[in-house]
Amino acid sequence: MELQKVAIRSLTRAAGELTALDPQAPLVQQLFEAVTGGFGRRSALTHGAFSDDALCEHPFATALLPMAGDSASDADLEALADASLAALLQSAEPDQPADACDSQVIFLLYQSDRYHYLLLALVEHETRLSLDANLQPIQTQVLAAERLVQALRINLTRLGRSQDSYLSFVPGKRNGSIGQDFPGALGCSQAIPASQSTRELIRATRDFCNQNALHERKDEVVEDVVSYLEQQRGEQRHASLNEVERLFDAYIPPSEDPAPGTTFGEFANTEPYQVSQEFQPHRATLKALSKVKTKSDNWQLDFTRRSLGAQGSDRDILFDEQGQTLTLRRLPTRVIQTIREALEQE
């Protein structure tokens, strides 16, 4: 990632001028890495776009449009900072003491891979222990840059191309506080939680297979999609409908001129699924989709779904519903040894 511009402003009604920082300074680079790292580790993101009305009327969205693409000036960044600060303060509850709020908004303009991004992060100071010159414990205030209170990332490249899902939000933690509702304050009315996109992508995959003569290979396709999502999540990268669509090429030869609405990306992006074109896979949802975990009074099970199959299949774990049995096959040597030792102890 290449940091291009960085600025910071206090989130108060008397915020003063926007403070620009040197993107090449080592401490600024540390700040950049802490904020983007904190954003990348969050899986509970919300993705979306501005409505057409918001793009034309909302002050933040209209200030953002000149930055779309890959050439934003200092004046563009300052205008955006003014618009965002005004929107966040206006969205606060009337009794919120805005002038006493110890929060800062950090603006990061950077490039990653082939995309240009603008990241707005709301951060706070926190009290930590330190030692003075006499080695006595004292309290000190530090900027908790990696613990984001709220954040918004705009994919400026996708916005400039009028593509979907160019906004990603980190949910707020402080109900009623300034900056708690970035999506509402900044005019984003078309927001889809990452958990919903993750869950609906798998549902769309199953339905697409059923409708395209892939019923017998549906489990294979679902496994490929889940594996892709797990890999993207592990590498802290977004999942893309275009990349998922290419997974289907191994099962359905791509048409030279597909009819509108026939590709998987178009299928998953429309009703009833409404999967975002780009989203961060949701960790908890993925775990629920990829694992089976249950227990009774005397035992418990925890295994991957790809290991499970019906009686007569080639899976490692076979389920016979009629006989009410679960059969484990191809046991590793260490598992056999553990069970043998347990039986010998009886």
Side-chain angles (χ1 to χ4, degrees):
M1 294 189 293
E2 178 188 354
L3 180 60
Q4 298 169 334
K5 296 181 186 295
V6 56
I8 189 167
R9 197 168 200 174
S10 296
L11 187 57
T12 64
R13 303 190 192 282
E17 299 296 324
L18 182 72
T19 301
L21 306 177
D22 179 6
Q24 303 302 321
L27 289 180
V28 175
Q29 284 287 328
Q30 289 185 31
L31 176 64
F32 170 56
E33 293 169 2
V35 173
T36 53
F39 188 89
R41 286 189 295 272
R42 298 290 290 275
S43 63
L45 299 178
T46 297
H47 304 269
F50 294 111
S51 66
D52 292 339
D53 290 341
L55 279 174
C56 298
E57 300 175 2
H58 195 280
F60 176 79
T62 55
L64 181 64
L65 286 177
M67 304 183 68
D70 57 5
S71 57
S73 66
D74 293 340
D76 291 334
L77 184 59
E78 185 168 0
L80 181 82
D82 290 340
S84 60
L85 183 71
L88 292 171
L89 290 172
Q90 185 176 1
S91 70
E93 293 185 355
D95 58 350
Q96 173 67 26
D99 294 327
C101 181
D102 182 25
S103 303
Q104 288 74 36
V105 181
I106 299 174
F107 301 84
L108 299 170
L109 189 67
Y110 64 98
Q111 181 177 356
S112 179
D113 296 329
R114 63 186 185 277
Y115 294 113
H116 287 81
Y117 294 98
L118 175 66
L119 176 59
L120 281 67
L122 180 64
V123 297
E124 295 178 328
H125 286 86
E126 65 179 16
T127 302
R128 294 184 183 176
L129 287 177
S130 183
L131 297 176
D132 62 16
N134 297 317
L135 301 182
Q136 296 298 310
I138 59 172
Q139 289 185 335
T140 183
Q141 292 288 312
V142 298
L143 185 67
E146 71 286 350
R147 295 176 56 186
L148 307 181
V149 176
Q150 176 71 285
L152 160 66
R153 189 177 71 173
I154 306 108
N155 187 322
L156 297 173
T157 304
R158 294 183 66 88
L159 173 61
R161 296 172 182 171
S162 299
Q163 296 175 317
D164 293 334
S165 305
Y166 47 79
L167 302 179
S168 300
F169 293 91
V170 167
K173 298 180 178 179
R174 305 174 308 171
N175 293 332
S177 300
I178 297 179
Q180 187 273 335
D181 180 22
F182 263 37
L186 302 180
C188 176
S189 59
Q190 300 177 358
I192 301 175
S195 57
Q196 178 179 331
S197 285
T198 303
R199 182 176 59 253
E200 290 300 301
L201 176 62
I202 301 303
R203 186 165 76 98
T205 299
R206 293 193 178 102
D207 291 350
F208 190 81
C209 289
N210 290 334
Q211 296 178 25
N212 288 274
L214 285 173
H215 177 75
E216 293 184 356
R217 305 192 69 182
K218 177 172 60 177
D219 290 343
E220 296 178 57
V221 180
V222 171
E223 285 181 15
D224 284 350
V225 173
V226 170
S227 296
Y228 164 75
L229 293 176
E230 289 176 334
Q231 179 181 356
Q232 297 300 101
R233 179 64 231 170
E235 297 176 356
Q236 298 182 4
R237 297 173 64 89
H238 280 64
S240 164
L241 273 185
N242 292 334
E243 293 179 354
V244 174
E245 188 172 298
R246 285 195 285 271
L247 295 176
F248 280 86
D249 292 348
Y251 303 94
I252 302 177
S255 172
E256 294 182 1
D257 188 21
T262 60
T263 67
F264 176 75
E266 294 169 323
F267 180 83
N269 188 236
T270 55
E271 293 282 356
Y273 315 103
Q274 291 189 315
V275 179
S276 299
Q277 285 287 348
E278 187 181 64
F279 65 95
Q280 182 93 336
H282 189 251
R283 182 184 293 108
T285 303
L286 268 180
K287 185 176 180 180
L289 290 169
S290 61
K291 301 198 73 175
V292 175
K293 191 171 184 179
T294 187
K295 64 180 180 179
S296 73
D297 293 338
N298 299 319
W299 50 259
Q300 60 182 7
L301 299 172
D302 185 352
F303 55 87
T304 60
R305 286 183 180 270
R306 66 172 62 97
S307 302
L308 179 65
Q311 193 76 14
S313 69
D314 191 43
R315 300 299 177 92
D316 290 337
I317 302 175
L318 304 181
F319 176 56
D320 181 359
E321 184 172 4
Q322 184 174 0
Q324 296 185 330
T325 62
L326 197 68
T327 304
L328 305 182
R329 302 177 6 160
R330 294 189 281 266
L331 295 178
T333 303
R334 57 182 176 81
V335 174
I336 295 175
Q337 182 64 29
T338 300
I339 294 175
R340 182 186 295 122
E341 291 174 354
L343 291 173
E344 290 174 350
Q345 293 173 3
E346 291 186 354

